Amino acid sequence: MLENFSFRTITEYLPLFGYGFVATLWLSIVSFAGALAVGITLCAMNLQRSQALKVPAKIYIDVIRATPLLAQLYFLYFGLPRLGVVLPELFIGILALSLNSGAYIAEIIRAGILSISRGQVEAGIASGMTYFQRMRLVVLPQAFRVTIPPLLGQAIVLVKDSALLSLISVSELTRAGQLLASDRFMPAEGFITTAACYLALYYGLKTLAASSERWLRLRPTGNLK
C-alpha cells in the first residue's frame, strides 16, 4: 500500500511544513487573542440592560453563528476591496478568524457568568460592593473555572478553521500541503503530512485542556484572582 509513498519527498519539504506549522500556531494565537477581545466586548454588551447595546450584540452573534466561516472569509477578501478597503491577505485571515470565534467566545463567557448563582451577587450588593468589585471578586473568579475548558475547546476549533486561510494564499500548514501536491503531483504525501501536523497541534491543545481541568478541580475558587 505504501510502496509508492515517498517519504524522501516529505523529508525534502519538511522546512516548508515547519514554516507552515509555526505560521499556523502564530496565526491561531493572534486570532484567538483577537477573538477574546471581540468576545469579551460582545458579552459585556449582551449583559447590559440597554437595548442599544444588547440588540446589536445579539444580532452580530446570531449572524456570525448562522453563516459559514468560508462565506465570511470571502466577504472580507472579495467584498472589502469593492468597498474601497484593501487589506493584506494575512490581516484578512486573522480578522476573519477573530470575528468568527469572537461570537462563540461571547456566548461561552456569558454562560460562565450567568452560571454564578444570583444569591452570591445579592450578597455582594448587601455587603456594599460596587458593580466592578462584584465582578472582580465574586463573579469572574468563579466564571473563570467554568469557561477555561470550553475556551480551550474553541481554540482547537480555531486552529482547524485556520486551514481555510490557504484559500486566500496565506502561507500555513494546508498551503504547504497544497504546494507539495502541486509541485510533485503527490497529494497523499502532501495532505497526510498536513494532517499529521494538525494532529500534533490538536493533541497539544487537548493535553493543555485536560491539564487545565485537573488544575481547576484542585484549586479553590478564592485563589483564582
Side-chain angles (χ1 to χ4, degrees), residues 22 68 84 93 130 174 177 180 193 203:
V22 173
T130 65
T174 303
L180 192 158
T193 307
Y203 280 110

Side-chain angles (χ1 to χ4, degrees), residues 12-208:
E12 294 175 6
Y13 277 78
L14 278 182
L16 180 62
F17 281 101
Y19 175 83
F21 186 93
V22 173
T24 294
L25 187 60
W26 179 83
L27 280 168
S28 300
I29 292 172
V30 174
S31 299
F32 190 71
L36 276 176
V38 172
I40 291 170
T41 302
L42 289 172
C43 178
M45 293 172 64
N46 206 4
L47 292 175
Q48 298 302 311
R49 294 182 179 179
S50 172
Q51 294 300 309
L53 295 174
K54 191 181 186 74
V55 172
K58 290 183 70 68
I59 291 174
Y60 176 86
I61 291 170
D62 288 342
V63 168
I64 291 296
R65 296 177 71 184
T67 55
L69 173 58
L70 182 59
Q72 299 161 21
L73 179 64
Y74 278 167
F75 169 76
L76 293 174
Y77 187 67
F78 295 109
L80 289 183
R82 296 291 299 272
L83 300 175
V85 180
V86 180
L87 300 172
E89 290 86 353
L90 181 62
F91 186 83
I92 288 175
I94 292 173
L95 183 63
L97 291 174
S98 298
L99 294 177
N100 179 270
S101 287
Y104 294 92
I105 288 175
E107 290 298 278
I108 291 172
I109 297 174
R110 186 175 73 92
I113 291 176
L114 293 179
S115 69
I116 308 305
S117 67
R118 180 64 186 171
Q120 296 190 49
V121 177
E122 292 174 350
I125 296 173
S127 62
M129 289 184 178
T130 65
Y131 173 80
F132 292 105
Q133 286 176 327
R134 295 195 302 273
M135 290 297 292
R136 183 172 65 87
L137 299 175
V138 179
V139 177
L140 292 181
Q142 297 180 78
F144 178 83
R145 297 170 68 97
V146 179
T147 57
I148 287 299
L151 282 176
L152 288 173
Q154 183 59 37
I156 293 173
V157 173
L158 188 149
V159 170
K160 293 189 293 183
D161 285 345
S162 69
L164 291 176
L165 303 192
S166 63
L167 298 175
I168 60 172
S169 301
V170 174
S171 297
E172 41 74 60
L173 268 176
T174 303
R175 185 64 177 167
Q178 290 174 342
L179 290 173
L180 192 158
S182 61
D183 290 349
R184 298 296 185 90
F185 302 101
M186 294 178 174
E189 285 82 351
F191 293 114
I192 287 176
T193 307
T194 300
C197 291
Y198 276 113
L199 276 173
L201 284 171
Y202 167 77
Y203 280 110
L205 287 170
K206 185 179 179 181
T207 301
L208 180 62

